[in-house]
Amino acid sequence: MDLSASDLTILRLLQNNARERLETIATETGLSVATVQRRIRNLKAEGVILAEEALISPKAVGYTMTFLVMVELERERIDQIDAFRRKAKGEPQVQQCYYITGEADFALIVLAKDMEDYERLTHRLFFEDSNVKRFRTSVVMDRTKVGMNIPLG
């Protein structure tokens, strides 16, 4: 999909506030409200806008710890990789999962309420999976920047 300057403005505004008023977007883009509605509908249909989500403070809901976990698999067959992907996707405490190159096969960002909670997570995700060769954990000291915003110019 070719994105116009107006589309990029719409995306930039929605990325900063998914509940931005259509009237505000129309004013910023110089388009009518109806055109803005149609463009947003098309951006969703084309898969440019993937979701509208609320950003929640983990600490506010009891998740006081964040971890970066590098996971190395024993076997890298596609069915084994897909099995681990499914497991990571199905685990609510895994915020992000990346299939990567380098020494590890996956990089995960996970949340836990405390170290005991993290230990239970490691048993579910790693120790009970015979294809996990090893995993290395780093504890996040500070969430300096968190977000999924895409630079739009």
Side-chain angles (χ1 to χ4, degrees):
M1 178 177 190
D2 290 327
L3 298 175
S4 68
S6 295
D7 291 332
L8 291 173
T9 300
I10 291 168
L11 291 171
R12 192 170 18 268
L13 291 167
L14 291 176
Q15 188 167 244
N16 290 329
N17 178 5
R19 298 186 62 163
E20 188 65 73
R21 293 171 31 96
L22 293 174
E23 293 81 4
T24 303
I25 297 171
T27 300
E28 290 290 322
T29 59
L31 302 171
S32 70
V33 171
T35 301
V36 168
Q37 283 179 311
R38 189 173 54 257
R39 291 260 178 99
I40 291 171
R41 188 172 43 251
N42 290 341
L43 291 166
K44 289 177 180 179
E46 292 291 327
V48 176
I49 296 175
L50 299 176
E52 297 176 30
E53 298 176 335
L55 185 59
I56 299 169
S57 164
K59 284 184 181 180
V61 293
Y63 288 96
T64 60
M65 303 188 79
T66 303
F67 302 88
L68 304 178
V69 185
M70 306 302 281
V71 181
E72 188 178 338
L73 299 181
E74 191 70 47
R75 295 168 302 284
E76 293 186 57
R77 292 190 339 248
I78 193 69
D79 60 320
Q80 298 287 341
I81 291 167
D82 288 343
F84 188 81
R85 282 181 173 144
R86 283 190 302 277
K87 184 184 286 191
K89 282 181 181 180
E91 175 55 58
Q93 288 176 247
V94 174
Q95 284 195 305
Q96 296 176 46
C97 174
Y98 299 95
Y99 178 47
I100 61 173
T101 62
E103 290 183 29
D105 298 304
F106 287 91
L108 307 178
I109 298 173
V110 302
L111 299 175
K113 294 181 179 194
D114 51 34
M115 287 304 291
E116 290 172 353
D117 188 35
Y118 179 68
E119 184 178 7
R120 288 188 297 273
L121 177 73
T122 63
H123 283 271
R124 287 193 308 273
L125 282 180
F126 312 128
F127 291 119
E128 294 173 7
D129 187 335
S130 63
N131 196 38
V132 173
K133 183 176 184 178
R134 79 174 52 92
F135 65 97
R136 291 179 302 285
T137 302
S138 295
V139 178
V140 173
M141 301 295 289
D142 178 52
R143 293 168 59 98
T144 305
K145 180 180 179 182
V146 178
M148 297 298 290
N149 285 6
I150 306 295
L152 297 172

